[in-house]
């Protein structure tokens, strides 16, 4: 097919839109930025787009709760467009604040916009009670349906969030996500054991750092892949001679682009 097109959504408080745009361009997508006001006013805002990105930041100051106001805005102005986009084969990635938005609409893990009473997950305050900004190790499980990841993959990315703890209404929900391959990333310990703070920076249930919907095309994760697309962005790039190496985060953007090129 023609070169895939990606659209990066921004609004008041978004601060990772340019980095996300750059990452998709490095991965080979034609990429544009769009403000939520433009999308909401358009009759066909996603008609010529294959990939939608909800980047990180502090949309609307994270008033009420992180990502909540943008989630409500999308539910009211973009409900039909988002549902049509997903059911039509579109790919969505929500990073940090974008992950919070996807969870607070119900698009994760269910790929449907749901009323609050029917949502099964949320992201809440870190166990540390403070904003966590650090590099973490991630590992994908043996079984995942996500188009963004491969089984038993390890990568290193930075996190920067105050409300990144994934919690579920009950333990059965997490069991279901695991069985269906919807758990995409877990925080990992350098020693190989069960990660504790600060390796798991927020206390998420089952150390979960990212999940997807059943199709594998809608992904949300707390770490920031757009902040590590080239070796120069790693804090140890000089000691580890990473100047000619791609950053681990670029894999996610490239796989989203290749998904459509293969199709």
């Amino acid at each position: 097919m023609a070169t895939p097109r990606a659209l990066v959504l921004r609004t008041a408080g978004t601060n990772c839109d340019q980095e996300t745009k750059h990452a998709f361009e490095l991965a080979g997508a034609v990429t544009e930025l769009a403000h939520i006001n433009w999308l909401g006013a358009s009759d066909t805002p996603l008609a010529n787009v294959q990939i939608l990105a909800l980047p990180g930041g502090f949309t609307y100051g994270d008033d009420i709760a992180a990502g909540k106001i943008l989630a409500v805005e999308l539910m009211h102005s973009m409900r039909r467009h988002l549902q049509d986009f997903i059911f039509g084969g579109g790919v969505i990635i929500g990073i940090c604040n974008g992950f919070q938005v996807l969870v607070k609409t119900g698009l994760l893990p269910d790929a449907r916009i749901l009323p609050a009473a029917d949502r099964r997950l949320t992201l809440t305050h870190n166990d540390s009670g403070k904003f966590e900004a650090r590099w973490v190790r991630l590992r994908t499980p043996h079984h995942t349906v996500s188009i963004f990841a491969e089984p038993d993959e390890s990568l290193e990315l930075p996190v920067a969030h105050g409300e990144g703890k994934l919690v579920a209404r009950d333990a059965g929900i997490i069991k279901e996500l695991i069985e269906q391959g919807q758990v995409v990333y877990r925080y990992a310990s350098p020693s190989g054991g069960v990660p504790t703070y600060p390796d798991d920076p927020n206390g998420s249930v089952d150390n979960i750092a990212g999940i997807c919907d059943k199709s594998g095309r809608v992904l949300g994760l707390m770490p920031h892949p757009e902040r590590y697309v080239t070796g120069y962005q790693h804090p140890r790039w000089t000691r580890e001679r990473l100047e000619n190496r791609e950053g681990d985060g670029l894999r996610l953007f490239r796989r989203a682009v290749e998904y459509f090129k293969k199709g």
Side-chain angles (χ1 to χ4, degrees):
M1 67 169 293
T3 302
R5 300 185 67 87
L7 186 148
V8 180
L9 177 69
R10 65 180 182 87
T11 191
T14 302
N15 65 16
C16 297
D17 47 323
Q18 291 287 351
E19 294 93 332
T20 305
K21 179 177 184 290
H22 176 64
F24 271 117
E25 289 173 341
L26 284 179
V30 174
T31 312
E32 62 179 315
L33 298 173
H35 194 278
I36 181 63
N37 290 351
W38 177 83
L39 287 182
S42 174
D43 292 332
T44 55
L46 303 174
N48 299 311
V49 175
Q50 288 77 48
I51 304 167
L52 174 65
L54 280 64
F58 306 91
T59 52
Y60 301 107
D62 279 346
D63 290 342
I64 306 176
K68 179 65 174 180
I69 295 177
L70 180 55
V72 171
E73 192 170 15
L74 288 174
M75 286 189 287
H76 284 276
S77 66
M78 293 280 295
R79 177 187 295 267
R80 177 176 59 81
H81 301 302
L82 286 169
Q83 297 287 197
D84 290 347
F85 182 73
I86 293 171
F87 296 143
V91 164
I92 299 179
I93 181 171
I95 302 167
C96 196
N97 194 257
F99 184 17
Q100 294 159 341
V101 171
L102 291 176
V103 168
K104 288 176 170 64
T105 59
L107 290 173
L108 280 176
D110 297 298
R112 294 182 295 125
I113 291 179
L114 297 170
D118 295 336
R119 291 177 214 144
R120 302 185 293 156
L121 301 174
T122 193
L123 288 154
T124 189
H125 296 280
N126 301 339
D127 280 353
S128 66
K130 62 182 180 180
F131 187 86
E132 296 289 341
R134 62 181 72 249
W135 283 71
V136 297
R137 288 175 172 82
L138 303 174
R139 179 166 287 280
T140 58
H142 299 304
H143 171 50
T144 180
V145 297
S146 175
I147 68 163
F148 291 88
E150 294 182 353
D152 297 312
E153 182 176 34
S154 62
L155 60 163
E156 192 176 9
L157 295 175
V159 297
H161 59 256
E163 298 178 43
K165 179 180 179 178
L166 184 77
V167 293
R169 185 173 295 169
D170 60 68
I173 294 169
I174 300 301
K175 182 175 182 290
E176 177 187 319
L177 294 180
I178 294 170
E179 291 175 348
Q180 295 177 162
Q182 290 180 251
V183 173
V184 185
Y185 300 107
R186 287 190 177 96
Y187 299 106
S189 169
S191 66
V194 177
T196 56
Y197 181 82
D199 297 322
D200 179 341
N202 49 51
S204 282
V205 61
D206 201 37
N207 306 114
I208 293 173
I211 62 172
C212 66
D213 72 326
K214 290 181 181 179
S215 76
R217 291 183 285 104
V218 182
L219 170 71
L221 73 165
M222 288 311 300
H224 285 267
E226 82 286 359
R227 295 185 183 180
Y228 187 30
V229 295
T230 172
Y232 288 111
Q233 293 172 303
H234 196 284
R236 298 189 304 275
W237 75 267
T238 53
R239 280 173 283 170
E240 298 183 11
R241 306 294 299 271
L242 302 177
E243 59 269 23
N244 296 318
R245 198 184 94 174
E246 287 185 350
D248 291 351
L250 189 58
R251 303 178 204 170
L252 281 72
F253 301 100
R254 179 172 287 124
R255 285 168 183 159
V257 172
E258 289 176 349
Y259 173 78
F260 288 101
K261 287 186 174 180
K262 290 177 182 176

